[in-house]
Amino acid sequence: MKGPWKSSFILVAATLALACQTQEPATEQGSETSPAVDAETVRESIRAKDQAFADAMVAGEVEPLVLQYTSDAVLLPPNSPKLEGSQAIRETLTEWFQQGPITSMSLNSEEITVAAAGDYAYSVGTFTMSGTAPDGSEWSDEGKYVAVWQNVEGDWKMAADIWNSNAPPPGMAAEEAGMESEEAAP
């Protein structure tokens, strides 16, 4: 073989040889092609972030909450439009806090799965919270959430966050919502 075909043939052969090499599958602890990830350390970090989030909600502090999210984060709150980015999150949290204080909150990330590459994780959990409504009445809620976490220069931040209540929508009885009466929130 002579001319341009020879170098093209060598390039194709080399590409095929590399593509056919077997690689170890990625695991939660990492692989040969990615840095080792200490999944338990990531889980501890996310649980600490959960506690900091709950504390900031009870304190009514907007900025620490905004900093828990990536700058382009997506929030999918119940009964509300999708929110995108730090400014939309900041404005919405400010409005929520003006409606009345949250007096207690707990987050329990029951499952935290960490990507093998260590760049993303997601948590699935439950929440409880209570507060004071604009009319002065007390309220409480419990529900579930999914949060997608992104490793941003060593700091875990939420890139996507969705949550919803276990209670049926306002005006709908638990039976109409497909819930057993024991499952309905008080």
Side-chain angles (χ1 to χ4, degrees), residues 84-115:
E84 295 182 66
S86 296
Q87 190 57 35
I89 294 168
R90 181 178 291 106
E91 290 170 2
T92 299
L93 288 170
T94 299
E95 289 174 23
W96 289 349
F97 288 138
Q98 290 171 351
Q99 294 178 22
I102 293 173
T103 55
S104 71
M105 180 175 201
S106 68
L107 298 169
N108 179 22
S109 286
E110 297 162 358
E111 176 185 337
I112 300 173
T113 303
V114 182

Side-chain angles (χ1 to χ4, degrees), residues 14 65 67 70 98 122 137 168 183:
L65 293 167
L67 293 174
T70 62
Q98 290 171 351
Y122 69 87
S137 64
E183 294 176 343

